[in-house]
Each structure stands twice: as C-alpha cells, then as structure tokens.
Amino acid sequence: MAAQTLITLINAHLAYGHHALLDNANLTIQESERIGLIGRNGAGKSSLLRILDGRTEADDGEISKMGSLRVITVEQEPVLNDYQTVYENICGNILDSEDWARPARASAIIEKLGLNPDTLVKGLSGGTRKRIALARAFIEAPDLLLLDEPTNHLDFEGILWLEQMIQSSRSACVIITHDRRFLDAVTTRIIELDRGQLHSFPGNFSQWQARKAEWLEAEKLQNERFDKFLAQEEVWIRKGVEARRTRNEGRVRRLEALRRERSERRERVGNVNLAVSMGEKSGKLVAELENVSHTFGDKTVIKNYSTTIMRGDRIGLIGPNGAGKTTLLKIILGKLSPTEGKVKLGTNLSIAYFDQMREQLDENAVLTEVINPGSEWIEIGQQRKHVMSYLGDFLFSPARAQSPVSSLSGGERARLLLARLFARPANVLVMDEPTNDLDIETLELLEELLQDFNGTVLLVSHDRTFLNNVITQTIAYEGDGQWRDYVGGYDDWLEQRPADVADKLAGKPGGTDKKAETTPAVNTPAQPKSRPNRSRISSWELKELESLPEEISKLEAEQAELTAKLSDPELYKDGSDTANGINLRLQELEEELLKLFDRWEQLEAKKETS
C-alpha cells in the first residue's frame, strides 16, 4: 500500500529581504517519513516550518494538505504555562473524552523522564522545559511533528530518549538540527534548503554528505560551461560593424535571456574563515587540582577530585545538565575558588572563553564595537585586518557591521562570539556549548580549527560527533559529585565507564541504560550503528599519525647531535654545567620519544581495525 501524502508545496516563494528564503521551492511529505531539514543559518528553515504548520503564508505558490492533517510544532524555545504543573502541561487540563488513554500515556512518559508531575513549570531548567514540550507533542500523536533544534538544552540521556521516541513514533517528522549523530540515528531523508531551493536526498546524514559532494561538483561544472558559453556570445555581440549588419536577432534574444539567467543566479555563500592567533606558549602545566570539592548549599557538585592538565591537552567535560560542568570549568581556570582543596594554575596563560549563555555580548553594542572596541584593526597572527574585513570572514556583510547585537539570530550570535573570541591571541581555548545554533558547515570548520590548534582546549558539549572529532581526553561525571578522567572521546568513555556508573546515571531525568545507544532505529534504511566501534580512527587522528614519523625523526636527530657533543673533550674545559644541561635535555628527549612511539602504536592499531 502506497504511503499517503500529508502535505505538498509547489513553487513556494517567501522573501523577507533582498534574497528569497524560498524561491519556487517544491516539497512533498509522506506519512511516517522522518526528514532532517538542514541548511545555513538564516537560510529560512524555521520559516519553512511556519509555512508547514500554517503560522505563515507563502508569498506565492500552492500548498495542499491532507484534509484531516494534524500538525504540532516544538520550537527552539517552547512556550509552556509556568503556573501549571508538569502533568497539566503534558496532559492538559481538559481531558479529551475520545482519548481515554491520554492520562495513562502522560503519566508513563513523566515517569520515564524522572519528573515530579506535581512540580510547577516556573523555574525549571531549559533542558527540563524542552523535555516537557517534546513529551506533550508525542502525547498528541500528530500526523506531522515539526521539531526546531530539539536537542538544544538536552544532555546525552535526553538526546537518547528523544531518539527512541522519534524512532517509535508513527508521526511523520521534520527536524531542524545541527547534531549529525542524531540525524544519522533518526532520519530516513535529508532535505537541504540552499539558496531558496529544497534538495532532497534519501537516507541519513552520512549518506547525504557523499551525495552532496558529487552534487556540488556537478553544479560547479554546469556553471562553468554556462559561463564559457555566455562569454563566447558576449564576444560575438561586440564584433565590428560588418558582424552587426548580419546579426541574428534570435541569437540576440538568446543572449539577453542568458544575461538575465546569469544575473539571477545565487552564488553559494562562502564558508566562515576561522583562524586563531596562538600567541606565546603557556607553561607546560596549565592547571593542577588536588582533592577539590565544591558545594552549593546542601548540594555537592564536586567531591574530592584531582587532575593535572598539561599544555596541548584537548579535554571534554561530560555529564548531565546540572552536574556542575561549568562550575568545574571555572575552578580549573581559577575563576572560582573551590570549597575545599587546592588549585595550582600554570604560567603565561592566555585564555579565550566561549560562554554558552552569550553573556559576553552587549545587546546594545554594534558588531564592530563587540569585535575590537576602540580600534578598526585586528592582529591575527602575522596578519593585520580591518574589522570590516574580519567580520566578513564570519559572513557578516558590511551593511550588518553597524547593526546592534539585539538584531542577530541565535546562529549569528554564535558566529559573532567566535569572531570576538578569535580576535585576540590565546593559548587556552575554553568552549562551553559552542555547537548550539551553529550550522553544520561552520561546526565542521570549527572542528578543524580545534584539531590544528597547538594550545590547550577545554570543551563542554552534548554533540557526540563534535566531541569524538576534537577531544583526546574526557573528564566525566559519575554521580554524587564524583568526577573521573578517561582517555579518548565520547565513544571511548562509553566503552570504559564502569557498569555501575551507567546504571547510576540511568536514573537521571530522561535517562537510559548504556545499551540504549545500540538500539537500532525503527524502519530506517541503511541504519548505521548508533555507537560506532571505538577502534574507528578519526580524521584528526589520521593527521596526527601521518605527522608522527617526522616528529620522531626531528627528536632523534637532536638526540644524536647532543650525544655527539658529549663525546667532545672540548665540552668539559669550562666545567660540567654545559654537559649537565645536555644530559637533562637527553632525558627529556627520551621521555618524549617513548610517548610518541606509544602513541604511534595506538594509532596504527586503531587504523588497522578501522
């Protein structure tokens, strides 16, 4: 039996400014589909959702819907009744007599989330409010469910719960999200909104990536052929008097049409240009925590935790919402004194801090003032840039440079904060939820920058792919104020953490057990494993592996040179101080070489089993 069509858009047009958000766009959604809607920040994804649920009308085009279609939207910042209880928000005050099972479904989902049904919604965290709004939507069981950035504010357990709810739901879904792993887990089709057009790709995000590369190359070749032909026709039209006398009027009209087509072509917007100036190196030690504990009233968020962070470490902090990740970050950076224990900070630390609450941004300031107050120039490494050019690197046009921060979207605010962050030299990058509101292409560029950054990175994120691609060490929350260090990224932590810790954290709101990530998606074609094999080697690890032989060769050359100096009698004429210095350096070289050889073996083993 063929799937029923829920909604169809034909030649839809919508514009709020110079460029159309939808430009004769076409879309068909069928029952039970799970569509990932992706595209650049500001492309018009949320506007498309508003057309689908009827909040906005298209400027032109046709939209047809199934007669009894029921659509529910969960927005990025859902609106709840603060003066109702959790149960009342999810179930509703007035029960539908035709839906007698609704209260039971509401009670079951509230229990699954670990929420108190009698708690007033007012004052609850953003993550809990998002869960309540999502639960309410699933209780309604609509024909079409529209989710705008549903993973924002959710922790790992909340994201896994949402994956399971979508996979088991009969509703068709259109989901706007930047979470690539989430897209792989739940989607059956990817639709990209690019320059006003909707491009459909069957399968999940990973399959889309391969197809997109081929599509962009084909588009590039087509444009090149068109431009070459247009250039030939322009040469013809500009020929001398004799050519004009024999001019073919049909050919002239065709040239005019070609010119119009070329002028209407919307070029693909360039990528954000990310670069950070390293500045001077910090000392080898960045921070040392010894038996640190911290409490807020009766609540202990950190209990007797010790760790050492060295220059060049890339560390991710993992834990549920409210565990104390931001508090631990502030203690590591010396911005907050612990209740108990000692914190030793290293020397020459130059810290750049990305704040998840965007509190560093003055709502009334214009963009140029935010980037570099009092100066029109910025120094990035050895390059001097004008602030207008620098803003252009982050996709802000000159016309937007004097706009106030208050006029920016969430994605634009994130880009502006990155621009401010990277405008100053830093050897320690601290990023608290940097992935919220960033589009996927900017996320991937940020990953590359962090992989190549020679300083220290401290990262808080619930984006599992981002963590796997960036960090080499993990500090994980284990319940009851306990924190523990692990080697590797998110998947490595899942494999290494003790079973009792997984069971303990499964009791958290939205919690699931450790096996939840291996649950296959329902009816998802070509569904990848939700938790990849931890032996998989990542792109940045391959880069590291390729660079290791050269690093080892340099150290061995220095080792041979110093050893030769020790055998020279002239070295000892003025005492043994120089020789002692050489011996100390040889010891350091030996330790560094051992570490590099161990790392080489680890990465080679990982590559062989990938």
Side-chain angles (χ1 to χ4, degrees):
M1 183 176 176
Q4 188 170 7
T5 298
L6 302 181
I7 190 167
T8 302
L9 268 66
I10 302 174
N11 296 329
H13 187 89
L14 180 70
Y16 289 123
H18 181 60
H19 284 308
L21 297 177
L22 297 178
D23 190 3
N24 293 320
N26 298 291
L27 172 65
T28 298
I29 301 173
Q30 296 183 319
E31 62 181 350
S32 302
E33 276 199 293
R34 299 198 297 270
I35 297 170
L37 178 59
I38 64 175
R40 286 287 183 82
N41 291 136
K45 301 185 294 296
S46 296
S47 297
L48 176 58
L49 291 195
R50 286 195 290 271
I51 289 177
L52 294 176
D53 67 14
R55 287 177 292 163
T56 297
E57 289 188 6
D59 299 331
D60 199 2
E62 299 178 27
I63 179 167
S64 60
K65 300 180 181 180
M66 184 180 72
S68 59
L69 183 69
R70 295 176 64 245
V71 183
I72 288 181
T73 302
V74 179
E75 298 184 75
Q76 292 188 44
E77 301 297 334
V79 177
L80 302 176
N81 189 327
D82 285 346
Y83 299 99
Q84 287 186 338
T85 64
V86 170
Y87 178 85
E88 288 169 340
N89 267 277
I90 291 177
C91 190
N93 282 322
I94 302 174
L95 300 181
D96 185 342
S97 59
E98 295 181 4
D99 190 3
W100 57 269
R102 184 185 179 98
R105 294 203 310 275
S107 297
I109 204 167
I110 289 169
E111 183 178 355
K112 176 70 174 176
L113 288 170
L115 300 174
N116 182 344
D118 300 321
T119 300
L120 283 177
V121 166
K122 185 177 176 64
L124 294 179
S125 69
T128 303
R129 293 175 70 92
K130 180 63 76 72
R131 285 191 182 93
I132 292 170
L134 289 166
R136 182 173 63 186
F138 285 116
I139 286 292
E140 293 284 348
D143 302 300
L144 177 59
L145 182 58
L146 308 177
L147 304 178
D148 196 349
E149 297 288 4
T151 63
N152 277 7
H153 304 303
L154 293 185
D155 54 23
F156 296 128
E157 305 298 346
I159 292 170
L160 293 176
W161 166 78
L162 179 58
E163 286 179 3
Q164 293 172 346
M165 293 299 292
I166 292 173
Q167 289 164 0
S168 60
S169 173
R170 295 182 180 180
S171 302
C173 295
V174 178
I175 307 160
I176 297 173
T177 182
H178 62 264
D179 190 322
R180 294 156 289 179
R181 187 152 175 170
F182 183 78
L183 285 169
D184 268 349
V186 302
T187 57
T188 57
R189 180 156 64 118
I190 296 294
I191 292 178
E192 183 183 17
L193 177 52
D194 180 21
R195 291 163 285 174
Q197 297 294 308
L198 292 166
H199 305 282
S200 178
F201 301 82
N204 59 26
F205 178 77
S206 294
Q207 294 161 332
W208 165 82
Q209 279 189 308
R211 290 184 175 91
K212 179 62 185 294
E214 297 169 2
W215 177 76
L216 282 177
E217 184 61 27
E219 181 190 48
K220 178 184 174 184
L221 292 174
Q222 181 181 349
N223 286 342
E224 286 175 352
R225 285 195 293 268
F226 178 95
D227 292 344
K228 184 177 180 181
F229 180 63
L230 175 59
Q232 290 170 348
E233 294 300 282
E234 292 286 5
V235 170
W236 170 80
I237 201 71
R238 290 179 174 84
K239 282 185 178 179
V241 175
E242 186 61 32
R244 289 195 185 97
R245 288 179 182 155
T246 59
R247 183 176 297 168
N248 183 314
E249 292 304 320
R251 191 171 179 181
V252 172
R253 288 194 295 273
R254 183 179 65 183
L255 174 57
E256 290 172 348
L258 289 172
R259 285 172 174 172
R260 283 195 301 271
E261 185 178 347
R262 180 63 185 88
S263 67
E264 291 169 1
R265 184 197 298 170
R266 287 175 61 177
E267 300 291 355
R268 182 170 174 79
V269 177
N271 287 324
V272 174
N273 183 14
L274 297 180
V276 59
S277 177
M278 176 66 185
E280 294 182 21
K281 281 187 177 181
S282 68
K284 282 191 176 181
L285 175 71
V286 173
E288 185 176 36
L289 278 62
E290 185 178 344
N291 299 324
V292 163
S293 297
H294 196 76
T295 59
F296 292 106
D298 297 332
K299 183 182 180 182
T300 300
V301 293
I302 304 169
K303 185 187 295 182
N304 201 33
Y305 174 63
S306 299
T307 193
T308 301
I309 297 171
M310 305 298 290
R311 182 180 66 216
D313 286 349
R314 293 202 295 270
I315 298 174
L317 277 69
I318 286 179
N321 289 337
K325 300 185 293 295
T326 302
T327 299
L328 181 54
L329 261 186
K330 290 180 178 178
I331 289 174
I332 291 171
L333 299 174
K335 294 181 177 293
L336 177 66
S337 297
T339 308
E340 296 178 9
K342 297 178 181 178
V343 177
K344 179 183 178 182
L345 295 179
T347 58
N348 199 32
L349 299 182
S350 180
I351 299 169
Y353 195 108
F354 186 100
D355 173 23
Q356 66 163 317
M357 303 307 293
R358 318 289 196 258
E359 290 176 354
Q360 300 173 36
L361 299 177
D362 180 353
E363 291 290 311
N364 299 316
V366 299
L367 272 55
T368 52
E369 292 174 354
V370 170
I371 297 300
N372 204 22
S375 175
E376 295 183 352
W377 298 94
I378 296 167
E379 303 285 343
I380 303 293
Q382 303 300 316
Q383 189 177 7
R384 192 167 185 254
K385 277 195 172 185
H386 193 274
V387 67
M388 301 291 278
S389 172
Y390 183 69
L391 281 169
D393 290 342
F394 291 81
L395 306 186
F396 292 107
S397 66
R400 297 294 305 278
Q402 298 303 318
S403 301
V405 169
S406 59
S407 69
L408 302 182
S409 67
E412 288 173 328
R413 285 167 183 259
R415 287 208 310 270
L416 182 63
L417 193 52
L418 286 175
R420 175 189 170 98
L421 191 78
F422 298 152
R424 295 160 181 79
N427 51 39
V428 179
L429 289 180
V430 183
M431 315 203 82
D432 196 349
E433 295 291 0
T435 63
N436 284 354
D437 302 313
L438 289 180
D439 58 51
I440 291 171
E441 292 183 43
T442 305
L443 269 180
E444 291 175 341
L445 290 168
L446 180 58
E447 284 177 354
E448 291 180 16
L449 180 139
L450 295 178
Q451 290 164 7
D452 295 336
F453 181 61
N454 291 325
T456 306
V457 176
L458 298 172
L459 174 65
V460 174
S461 177
H462 292 124
D463 187 318
R464 296 158 292 179
T465 301
F466 191 77
L467 285 167
N468 277 337
N469 289 344
V470 172
I471 65 174
T472 57
Q473 297 169 242
T474 299
I475 299 174
Y477 178 77
E478 305 209 319
D480 302 323
Q482 301 289 338
W483 297 80
R484 183 176 174 185
D485 294 358
Y486 291 88
V487 173
Y490 173 82
D491 287 326
D492 298 301
W493 164 69
L494 278 182
E495 290 290 346
Q496 296 173 62
R497 65 176 180 170
D500 62 326
V501 169
D503 293 340
K504 188 190 300 183
L505 293 180
K508 293 287 176 186
T512 57
D513 60 23
K514 185 180 177 182
K515 297 178 182 177
E517 288 228 53
T518 63
T519 305
V522 180
N523 297 325
T524 302
Q527 176 67 30
K529 291 181 180 178
S530 293
R531 188 177 75 202
N533 189 329
R534 71 181 286 256
S535 63
R536 179 194 62 187
I537 191 165
S538 64
S539 59
W540 63 265
E541 286 176 318
L542 279 171
K543 285 183 184 177
E544 183 183 1
L545 179 58
E546 291 169 1
S547 68
L548 281 175
E550 186 178 349
E551 289 183 49
I552 290 171
S553 178
K554 286 180 180 177
L555 293 182
E556 287 179 333
E558 184 183 354
Q559 191 180 45
E561 183 182 346
L562 292 176
T563 302
K565 283 184 179 180
L566 283 177
S567 62
D568 184 357
E570 295 292 322
L571 181 70
Y572 303 91
K573 282 187 176 180
D574 299 320
S576 59
D577 288 350
T578 305
N580 290 338
I582 290 175
N583 279 314
L584 286 174
R585 178 55 184 156
L586 284 170
Q587 289 176 16
E588 290 177 358
L589 287 171
E590 187 66 30
E591 291 173 6
E592 289 177 32
L593 283 167
L594 285 173
K595 287 180 182 178
L596 290 177
F597 280 121
D598 286 343
R599 183 62 176 159
W600 195 0
E601 289 179 10
Q602 290 173 13
L603 293 177
E604 281 289 357
K606 208 168 185 179
K607 182 180 177 183
E608 288 173 6
T609 55
S610 293

